[in-house]
Amino acid sequence: MVNLSWEANDDDSDDLTFDVYLFAPGQSPDHLIAEGLIENNFYVENLRYETNYNWQVVVKDGIADPVYGEIWSFTTES
């Protein structure tokens, strides 16, 4: 199990929601694994061993356009 966590803020103090994308080599980068989260973390299970994963968070405040965060990566253990 991997805990993905991030930080986000809104200058207007609007409530934020988060969509999380996770993709391994050969997978489309639009592989949504969580949508509408209100917490700034998400636990991912059932990952492949010895695999490099990329992940990205999209932040929404219900007013402005969504903000796409950086693409991060990690590698699972053997």
Side-chain angles (χ1 to χ4, degrees), residues 18-19 48 55 60 62 67:
F18 308 102
D19 296 346
R48 291 183 276 178
W55 63 286
K60 300 176 182 178
V67 175

Side-chain angles (χ1 to χ4, degrees), residues 15-42:
D15 291 333
L16 300 177
T17 61
F18 308 102
D19 296 346
V20 181
Y21 293 84
L22 179 78
F23 48 100
Q27 287 185 322
S28 170
D30 63 355
H31 184 75
L32 182 67
I33 61 167
E35 185 175 23
L37 299 175
I38 56 172
E39 299 293 328
N40 62 340
N41 69 324
F42 184 74

